Amino acid sequence: MSKSIAVNAGSSTLKFKLFDMPSEEVVAEGTIERIGEKMGHAKIKYGDGQKHEEEQPFVDHGAAIKYLLDQLIALGIVKSYDEITAVGHRVVAGGEYFKDSAVINDDVIEKINSLAEYAPLHDPAELVGIKAFRKALPNAFAIAVFDTSFHANMPKMNALYSIPYEWYEKYGARKYGAHGTSHRYVAAQAAKMLNKPLEDLKLITLHIGAGASITAIKNGKSFDTSMGFTPLAGITMATRSGDVDPSLVAFVEEKTGKTSAEIIDDLNHKSGLLGISELSPDMRDILDAADKGNEKAQLALDIYVNRIKRYIGAYIAEMDGADAIVFTAGVGENSAPVRKLVTDNMDYLGIKIDQEKNQCHGVQRDLSAPDAKVKTLLIPTNEELMIVRDIERLKKEQAN
């Protein structure tokens, strides 16, 4: 059987999941961390609960990828490189170039490179991963799957800001969103759970993890989404502020002497749950501290839940109703307390969950109370599976 590998390269990390195809069985997965530092760490899970861990330096992504491929052979996961016939790369920013996943060629690489300013923390690292895998597996079918592509065809009334139109025309200033692969996956799963065509549904998908976004999905397409020109906008996140008045940047610049770039960095890395609580970006820590009476942790939790509710209400209004809301990603999948807080006192919108059903994590389940008019679903996301499915789809399209 041939194998496809889904890859997510960060600035100093490499995450992967290897699938037998077309069975979609996961045969190995893991991470390589601290690439480019004095000492790196690799972890590979495979077989029947087997695990390989090792610490050694990885000078760059090329070295990390060679190590990974060699370990897949050494551990008996594959017999040779040739067994891996396809590679799918997660890429954050596709701009307006990529409204779907794309087969990688020189033109695609050049365009991803030109989009680096839209996602400076992500696209350059992902491009390094693309080039390194291209060198290591020159005969493999390779694609790029973009976080933004699912949102690329949002109605203009939702995609554009109320700014001079030429900023959009000349510089591409618009809402791009993120987590599109996740939103696309859980929406398809929701349709299966509801036993209805996706095109007939109105869904609100809540991808809430360290990074978080909420998407309104109407007729199977992204109708609106909370993240904006960058992943900084939207709801409160682990370390990101979410929506703020842009004038705040100039105000803080004047008061502190910081540059606008430094303030944007603070809004990305020192805000959100961490900034408000002055304690932790981790929701588990926030919930624990709030239970013990920590006022700032409680405030952080209240703001977090409030912003999610705000977007749910807005998207129900925008779509003239909703058939279901879907919780996914780290917090959405694993935090019963957060799911309860988000759905509390929303009976008037038809949203009501069964608290016994809600006592779970990481499993696909209908959490709705019997009398709920809007379904509440818990669906673990699987972006890697979506990536390898896109590989198969694009293979067929290219063959035809």
Side-chain angles (χ1 to χ4, degrees):
M1 250 189 258
S2 65
K3 293 177 173 62
S4 293
I5 189 167
V7 179
N8 184 354
S11 58
S12 62
T13 62
L14 181 74
K15 298 178 183 178
F16 80 95
K17 193 174 281 190
L18 183 68
F19 294 80
D20 256 331
M21 297 303 288
S23 69
E24 298 182 347
E25 177 190 354
V26 177
V27 294
E29 61 183 298
T31 58
I32 298 176
E33 299 174 316
R34 301 196 293 274
I35 297 169
E37 298 181 21
K38 288 183 179 179
M39 187 58 67
H41 180 80
K43 180 167 65 175
I44 300 172
K45 294 190 289 183
Y46 64 103
D48 188 18
Q50 294 163 280
K51 186 165 66 174
H52 170 83
E53 285 194 69
E54 186 174 354
E55 289 201 346
Q56 69 168 59
F58 300 102
V59 294
D60 55 25
H61 282 75
I65 288 165
K66 186 177 188 312
Y67 171 87
L68 166 61
L69 293 172
D70 287 347
Q71 285 301 314
L72 292 178
I73 293 173
L75 296 169
I77 298 165
V78 300
K79 293 178 181 177
S80 73
Y81 287 4
D82 293 340
E83 211 170 313
I84 302 172
T85 59
V87 186
H89 296 270
R90 180 233 182 177
V91 180
V92 169
E96 294 212 310
Y97 287 130
F98 300 105
K99 298 188 177 182
D100 191 5
S101 301
V103 179
I104 292 171
N105 55 32
D106 291 342
D107 179 60
V108 168
I109 287 174
E110 186 178 328
K111 285 174 178 171
I112 293 173
N113 187 54
S114 74
L115 293 166
E117 63 184 336
Y118 291 89
L121 299 178
H122 299 92
D123 272 24
E126 289 151 1
L127 193 55
V128 169
I130 287 171
K131 290 178 178 178
F133 263 100
R134 211 177 184 208
K135 184 177 180 181
L137 302 174
N139 298 319
F141 182 79
I143 71 166
V145 179
F146 300 91
D147 274 12
T148 54
S149 63
F150 183 58
H151 308 297
N153 291 312
M154 280 190 299
K156 275 195 172 181
M157 67 176 179
N158 292 329
L160 298 192
Y161 296 110
S162 305
I163 55 178
Y165 195 80
E166 67 174 350
W167 294 4
Y168 165 61
E169 290 181 305
K170 290 183 178 179
Y171 315 120
R174 55 156 287 177
K175 183 188 288 188
Y176 288 105
H179 302 134
T181 309
S182 175
H183 289 293
R184 186 160 55 104
Y185 174 78
V186 299
Q189 290 298 110
K192 290 179 183 178
M193 290 179 72
L194 298 172
N195 198 28
K196 291 182 179 179
L198 179 57
E199 294 74 18
D200 294 344
L201 293 171
K202 298 173 184 176
L203 303 172
I204 300 173
T205 51
L206 284 64
H207 179 108
I208 48 176
S213 63
I214 300 178
T215 294
I217 298 174
K218 188 175 183 180
N219 303 326
K221 299 177 181 178
S222 176
F223 185 73
D224 203 351
T225 195
S226 60
M227 282 183 168
F229 179 69
T230 73
L232 179 57
I235 66 171
T236 302
M237 300 173 232
T239 65
R240 296 177 200 158
S241 64
D243 295 334
V244 297
D245 182 340
S247 297
L248 182 65
V249 175
F251 175 82
V252 175
E253 193 173 8
E254 183 180 335
K255 294 293 183 183
T256 64
K258 290 186 175 184
T259 65
S260 59
E262 288 172 328
I263 296 164
I264 295 296
D265 188 72
D266 286 347
L267 292 174
N268 269 296
H269 299 112
K270 297 180 181 178
S271 302
L273 293 175
L274 174 63
I276 301 161
S277 71
E278 297 183 329
L279 172 70
S280 173
D282 193 306
M283 178 56 76
R284 292 166 293 190
D285 296 335
I286 299 298
L287 287 165
D288 183 57
D291 283 342
K292 293 174 181 175
N294 184 309
E295 291 184 6
K296 287 182 180 177
Q298 184 62 57
L299 178 60
L301 180 60
D302 290 344
I303 291 174
Y304 184 91
V305 170
N306 171 272
R307 301 308 189 261
I308 295 173
K309 284 178 175 280
R310 183 179 296 175
Y311 270 95
I312 291 172
Y315 289 165
I316 287 176
E318 279 191 49
M319 294 193 295
D320 302 319
D323 296 292
I325 64 170
V326 180
F327 285 94
T328 194
V331 177
E333 293 172 25
N334 297 300
S335 182
V338 169
R339 292 193 299 264
K340 178 183 183 301
L341 290 168
V342 168
T343 54
D344 271 350
N345 304 314
M346 297 187 81
D347 305 36
Y348 69 97
L349 289 174
I351 300 168
K352 188 177 181 182
I353 65 173
D354 183 309
Q355 295 306 334
E356 286 189 17
K357 292 179 183 176
N358 188 43
Q359 299 309 308
C360 65
H361 61 88
V363 294
Q364 186 165 299
R365 177 176 287 184
D366 185 339
L367 306 177
S368 315
D371 57 340
K373 294 180 180 178
V374 176
K375 293 286 188 181
T376 299
L377 308 177
L378 167 56
I379 302 176
T381 193
N382 195 335
E383 292 162 287
E384 295 86 1
L385 180 58
M386 208 70 191
I387 288 171
V388 296
R389 285 178 177 173
D390 274 5
I391 288 172
E392 296 303 303
R393 175 173 61 86
L394 290 176
K395 272 185 183 177
K396 288 177 183 176
E397 288 180 7
Q398 194 170 74
N400 293 332

